[in-house]
Amino acid sequence: MRRSRAFIPTSKEAPSDATLASHIYLARAGFISQVAAGLYNYMPLAKKVIKKIENVINEEMSRVGAQEVELSFVTPADLWAESGRIEKFGKELLRFKDRKENLFVLGPTHEEMMVDLVRNRVTSYKNLPLNLYQMKTKFRDEARPRFGLMRGREFIMKDGYSFHASTEDLDREFESMEQAYKTILTRLGLEYRVVEADSGAIGGSGSKELMVIADSGEDTIAICSKCEYGANIEAAKRSFNPNPPEAPEAEFNKFLTPDIKSIEDLADFLKIDAYYTIKCVAKRVVYEDESEIVLFFLRGCDNLQEVKAINATDALDIVDVTEEELKEIGIVPGFIGPLDQDKAKHVIDCELKNARNMVCGANEQDYHYVGVDMKVLEDVAYFAEIAEVNEGDTCPHCEGTLSFTKGIEVGHIFKLGTTYSEALKAEYLDENGKTQPFIMGTYGMGVSRLVASVIEQHHDEKGCIWTKETAPYSVNIMISNIKNEAQVALGESLYAQLQEKNVEVMLDDRKERFGFKMKDAELIGFPYTIIIGKELDNGAVQIYERKTQEKQTVAVDSVFDTLMELL
Ligand code: ATP
Ligand code: MG
C-alpha cells in the first residue's frame, strides 16, 4: 500500500473519554472511529488486524476439527423465550419488532441459535461429536460501554459450540479447545493465564477464562505462588487459614457493647482479632419479578464476593440497602447476628460452619454475643461460599499463597452440559435407540477485544507496537526525501520485491517532513521501518525496529535479505 493513497487518518488528539492506551492509540493512529457509545467503525488498519486475528483463530480451529458457519445476527425472540434467557439477559438484549410485529433480538451470543440449527438435523450418535463456530458481530446493550474496543456494545466474537454423546467426550473437546485457545494467544504474541471462572447460574463444573495479563484489565485474578492454580476472583477458592490468630476463649454470653457498630471498633473494644468476629452484609437480592433483603454473614476480616452471593441466592442481581429499609423490617443495623435471626433470609459463609469462639451481633441495640459456637446453626442455617479470597490466603491446591493480578478476559470456555439442549428439546438417538439431549460445550473469544488487548500489552509512549502475527503491515518503507530520485528508486524497488514475497508492506511516499512521517510510523506501530535517507549516498539504509526503537545500518544490497530474516 502506498501511504499517499492509504486511508489512515492519524491525529494528535485522543478521544476525550479515553483512558486506556489501546483506546487512545487505536483512535489516534486511525484504526477506529467512534460512532456512538460502544459503537465503532473499523478503518482499513483495524480491518487488517481483525482479519489477521481471525485467520489465526480459523487455522487453529480447523486444526482441531471445528467447522465455521455463520448464523443470522437478528435472532427470533421465540428462541430466547424457549431457553428462558429473554428475562435473564435483561436490558442487554436489544429487542425490536419487524413490520409484521414479530419480536426479534440482536444476537449477544448464539447458544439458542446454534442449538436450533443442529436440532432435527443431527439425529444420531453416529454424527457426534460436532463443533461449529462463527466469527460474528454481537450486540449487548452494555450498561457502561467503555475503553474503546475493550467493552463495546457492538463487538466481534468468535463463538463456538460443541455437541457430544457423553460427558467424557465433552471433557476431551474442552481440553482440546483450551489447548487451541492457548496456541492462538501464543501466536498472537500475548502473555496470558488460563484461570478458573464463575460458572454463573448455569452451574456446571468446567468454566475457564483466558486472561491477558495487563494492569488495565477489569478482572482481578488470584494466582498461586507455587502451583498452576489461577482463578477469577469471582470464583477463587482458598484453603482454611492454616495459622489462625489466637482465639478469644469465652463462655457464651450477651455482652454490652455501647455504640460499637463497626467490626473495627468491635475488635478494638474486645481486643480480639477481626477473624473471630462475624460481620453482616445486608443486601437487596433481585429476582425475576421480586426482590427481598438477605443478610450475608461472614468473618469480620473477609469481604462479600458479590458474584458468589448472587450464585448462592440464585438471584439476577444484588443491590445495596439503606439502614432505614433494615429498620423497617425490625432489624437493628450495627448489631445484626445470625443467632435467632428471623427478620430476613440469611446466608452464612461456609467457612463459619464449625467456627468457635466467635463474636456476633445480638440483634439488639448495643449488644453482641461472645463465645458463639456456630455448630448450633449447623442444621438450621443455609451455608454457602460467599467470601472473597484475600491476597496472602492459602492456595486451595497446595501450600502456596495467593496474590492478585489484573487480567483482560479474552476468552471463555464453558461446559454447558444439557442446559440448552433440554430447554430447546435438541435430542439425538443413542446406541440403544433412546433419545438423549446433546451434551454441550461453548467456547467464546473476543476478537475485537483482542485487538485492544494486543495494544494494552504492547505499546509505549509513542504508540502501538504490533506483534508479528497481528501487525497490519510488517514493513514500512520510509522515503525520507521524496525529491531525491535515488531514494525514490530504491524505495520503489524494495516495495516491489517485498510485495513479490507476499510481505505486507507500506511505502511512505508522502511529501511530508521526515520527523512527521517517523512519528506517524511509530504511532501506527509497524514492526520494521526501512529508512531510506542521507546514508544512501554511502550505499546504506537503516532498519528501525519499533519494539526496541533500535536502528541498524545495512548495506543496500543486503537490506532485502536482512529484512526477510527478521520477518
Ligand atoms: P465480560 O465479563 O467482560 O462482560 P462476558 O463474560 O460477559 O464478558 P462472554 O459472554 O463470556 O463475556 O463472551 C465471550 C467473550 O466475548 C469474552 O471473553 C470477551 O472476550 C468478549 N466480550 C464480551 N463482552 C464484550 C464486549 N462488551 N466488548 C468486547 N468484547 C466482549
Ligand atoms: Mg465470560
Side-chain angles (χ1 to χ4, degrees), residues 295-353:
L295 307 175
F296 295 93
F297 292 102
L298 54 165
R299 280 191 198 275
C301 54
D302 283 333
N303 289 312
L304 183 70
Q305 170 31 253
E306 293 210 356
V307 172
K308 289 181 181 177
I310 286 176
N311 291 341
T313 50
D314 231 343
L316 289 182
D317 198 7
I318 58 176
V319 294
D320 290 341
V321 283
T322 59
E323 289 201 356
E324 280 58 48
E325 283 175 87
L326 294 175
K327 284 178 190 158
E328 262 169 38
I329 58 167
I331 286 174
V332 193
F335 300 92
I336 314 173
L339 304 184
D340 315 321
Q341 174 54 255
D342 55 5
K343 301 285 191 295
K345 202 179 183 177
H346 57 268
V347 183
I348 305 177
D349 185 50
C350 54
E351 287 187 25
L352 283 172
K353 204 161 195 168

Side-chain angles (χ1 to χ4, degrees), residues 209-223:
E209 287 167 342
L210 288 102
M211 292 283 184
V212 164
I213 305 298
D215 291 340
S216 60
E218 286 187 271
D219 287 272
T220 300
I221 55 187
I223 52 178

Side-chain angles (χ1 to χ4, degrees), residues 178-232:
E178 177 179 342
Q179 199 48 51
Y181 272 32
K182 285 157 87 171
T183 309
I184 291 164
L185 298 185
T186 304
R187 283 185 61 185
L188 296 178
L190 290 164
E191 190 200 332
Y192 64 90
R193 184 113 187 183
V194 184
V195 302
E196 287 176 15
D198 165 45
S199 313
I202 298 170
S205 56
S207 172
K208 289 187 178 179
E209 287 167 342
L210 288 102
M211 292 283 184
V212 164
I213 305 298
D215 291 340
S216 60
E218 286 187 271
D219 287 272
T220 300
I221 55 187
I223 52 178
C224 176
S225 59
K226 269 200 169 159
C227 74
E228 282 292 287
Y229 180 74
N232 192 311

Side-chain angles (χ1 to χ4, degrees), residues 22 150 190 212 214 408-410 446 448-458:
S22 60
M150 211 55 103
L190 290 164
V212 164
I408 303 167
E409 181 196 322
V410 294
S448 46
R449 184 177 283 182
L450 274 167
V451 177
S453 305
V454 172
I455 298 309
E456 278 313 308
Q457 236 178 40
H458 304 272

Side-chain angles (χ1 to χ4, degrees), residues 109 140 142 149-157 209 218-219 409-412 444-449:
T109 172
R140 295 182 184 178
E142 297 263 356
L149 298 189
M150 211 55 103
R151 184 170 297 285
R153 289 195 295 165
E154 190 175 303
F155 59 97
I156 306 170
M157 199 205 288
E209 287 167 342
E218 286 187 271
D219 287 272
E409 181 196 322
V410 294
H412 193 172
M445 192 165 240
V447 176
S448 46
R449 184 177 283 182

Side-chain angles (χ1 to χ4, degrees), residues 396-431:
H397 295 306
C398 73
E399 66 285 9
T401 44
L402 299 176
S403 66
F404 292 171
T405 175
K406 290 282 180 188
I408 303 167
E409 181 196 322
V410 294
H412 193 172
I413 57 176
F414 201 117
K415 291 181 191 170
L416 287 174
T418 55
T419 316
Y420 290 89
S421 46
E422 273 176 24
L424 291 153
K425 299 202 177 48
E427 296 164 335
Y428 67 95
L429 289 177
D430 71 10
E431 276 174 88

